[in-house]
Each structure stands twice: as structure tokens, then as C-alpha cells.
Amino acid sequence: MSPLEPFGARLRRAMDERGPLCVGIDPHASLLAEWGLDDDVAGLERFSRTVVEAMADRVAVLKPQSAFFERFGSRGLAVLETSVQEARAAGALVVMDAKRGDIGSTMAAYAEAFLHPDAPLFSDALTVSPYLGYGSLSPAFALARESGTGLFVLALTSNPEGGEVQHAVRADGRNVGATMLAHLAAENAGEEPLGSFGAVVGATLGDLSSYDLDVNGPLLAPGIGAQGATPADLPGVFGAAVRNVVPNVSRGVLRHGPDVSALRGAAERFAEEIRAAVTAV
């Protein structure tokens, strides 16, 4: 296996050159309907091809949500394969939002499905869940290092239900979310210009100054746009770590489709607003 340049370095360069924006590819039924598409494989393919055509040569990151493709079975996965390959060929980094988490050989198989260069769904990074224990992710970390890819570990998510796990306090007095951040900081120690192992931290969570978000890795931040957060909110949420934030916008951009120029315009506006907010710190 010939590894890529580490994901963190590639991501830092992409955000500096293209702007710090991740656009989700979330073809759920209601959004297909808004585009005038049927909720079937043909609609899925039209939607995905349009987003890739509009975005892949200009945004830093595209993030397909695998569930919306998986629901159509093998034909949906075929669309996902094509979308990932075409997006990467056009220069976007692809973060596969699959939130996989398991133990042992099963976790290794999930990692191989998305992080092995020979895999049809090979992506630049993968979202993973650590809630079978952070150590259960070891096979994914090992393959990511070997292949030059990255991971985004769920740490402080924007959904209200997440708090019952992530805010639970351990015997050492630190809560679970903070523990995940500390693990990631250790994974990224000494990496330049940016580590390859990041956290998912919701942009809607308000003041997070009680957490050490400086993990020397990227912070994937859902919640901009339809969920209520704005680019101007980012410095207040992420503080000094804001330069490493990868804000994710899905519906806020996608609702402007299927017109390609309108999609591009929406993405450019978000990217400029985010860049202005980040550089003002």
C-alpha cells in the first residue's frame, strides 16, 4: 500500500486554498422532493451527480451521508461509489459520514470498507463512534495511519440525546466527551501542520470554553444553516481552536438546487462568511 500524504496535511491545504467549508450530500426524501425528483435510485443519482458537479472542484470537503444511499440497497451503494470517486477526482476531500463503531475484526472490516485504497468506497476520512470504548477504534486508527486517511470521532454532538452519554462523568471527574478529546490530542501529538484525527463537535452547542478543543486536529462542526448556527457563532463556540474547524453545511446549501449556479453561489457565500469569521479571531 502506497500511503497518501496524511489527511491532516491535505485537509489544512484544502481549507486554506478553497475555504473552510464541508458540504453534506444528504439525499433524503424531502430534499429530493424539493428538487422535483422522485424518491428512487434515478432521483438519488441525479441529485448526487448535480451536487458533485456543482461542488467538487471548488469546496474543500464533501460529506456524503451513507444511510441515504444504503436505503436503496446495492443500486444506491453503486451511486455512492460513483459519487465518491468523481468527487475525489475533481479535487474535493471526501469524508464518509457512516458513524461506524464496533469491536475487533468487525471494526477492522468497517475500516477496510472505507479507508483501504483498494475499496470501492475509499474515502479520505470516516466518521466513527467510540461508544463501545475508544480502544475499540484501534483497527481504524491503524489503517488510517497506514493509508494516509483520517477519522472524525463523535465527541460532543449537536443532538440533545447525545448528552446522556457524552456528559456522563467518569470516576476521574472528567466527562466522556472531554475524554474523547483528550484521546485525540494524544493521537495527534507532534503532527504538523494538522493531525489527521478529529472530533465531531456541534456548532450549536454554545460556549465550550470548559473543554480543551485544541486536539491538534480538525473539528467537524455540524449545525450551520438549517440547525440554527451561523458562521458568526463559530468563534464563540470554538475559541482559539476555530482555525481548525471544518463547518458542515447541508440543507443551507442543498436547498438551492437543482440549479448548479445557485448551489455554487450558496457554497461560496457560506465559505466567505466562515473565512471572515475565522480570520477575525
Side-chain angles (χ1 to χ4, degrees):
M1 183 187 303
S2 297
L4 297 168
E5 181 184 14
F7 172 69
R10 292 185 288 126
L11 178 61
R12 175 79 276 156
R13 184 167 58 249
M15 291 198 296
D16 290 345
E17 293 177 356
R18 294 186 171 201
L21 177 65
C22 169
V23 175
I25 307 180
D26 295 357
H28 48 76
S30 61
L31 195 50
L32 293 176
E34 287 181 31
W35 280 35
L37 301 173
D38 291 331
D39 186 22
D40 57 17
V41 173
L44 175 74
E45 183 172 22
R46 174 71 182 278
F47 179 94
S48 301
R49 283 190 177 277
T50 300
V51 175
V52 171
E53 176 189 350
M55 304 291 170
D57 65 345
R58 61 197 64 216
V59 302
V61 181
L62 286 174
K63 184 176 70 63
Q65 169 47 258
S66 65
F68 294 122
F69 296 83
E70 291 174 33
R71 69 194 185 100
F72 292 105
S74 60
R75 294 175 66 197
L77 287 173
V79 175
L80 181 58
E81 288 178 17
T82 299
S83 299
V84 169
Q85 292 163 8
E86 291 182 349
R88 297 189 72 244
L93 297 177
V94 171
V95 173
M96 181 62 69
D97 194 358
K99 299 183 178 69
R100 296 304 197 246
D102 215 304
I103 60 172
S105 60
T106 309
M107 188 66 244
Y110 279 138
E112 289 169 5
F114 299 106
L115 302 178
H116 194 288
D118 295 334
L121 288 167
F122 178 61
S123 304
D124 296 285
L126 172 68
T127 59
V128 291
S129 173
Y131 296 112
L132 286 173
Y134 185 86
S136 67
L137 300 177
S138 294
F141 279 103
L143 183 54
R145 285 194 173 91
E146 186 179 354
S147 61
T149 54
L151 297 173
F152 285 98
V153 177
L154 302 179
L156 297 167
T157 58
S158 56
N159 62 306
E161 307 91 335
E164 69 183 56
V165 174
Q166 296 156 22
H167 297 165
V169 178
R170 293 160 32 102
D172 63 5
R174 186 166 58 185
N175 72 22
V176 173
T179 300
M180 297 305 145
L181 295 170
H183 281 309
L184 289 166
E187 301 281 359
N188 292 321
E191 295 294 327
E192 295 181 356
L194 186 67
S196 296
F197 304 121
V200 178
V201 179
T204 56
L205 295 178
D207 181 6
L208 293 176
S209 58
S210 61
Y211 289 90
D212 185 359
L213 298 176
D214 183 11
V215 301
N216 191 34
L219 302 172
L220 182 62
I224 303 289
Q227 292 185 46
T230 69
D233 295 328
L234 294 172
V237 176
F238 294 96
V242 72
R243 185 171 180 268
N244 294 335
V245 170
V246 187
N248 176 72
V249 181
S250 295
R251 181 178 291 274
V253 170
L254 299 177
R255 66 182 178 83
H256 294 277
D259 182 81
V260 168
S261 62
L263 287 166
R264 288 173 174 168
E268 288 168 4
R269 288 191 296 274
F270 271 111
E272 284 306 311
E273 289 177 21
I274 292 166
R275 194 195 298 271
V278 168
T279 56
V281 176

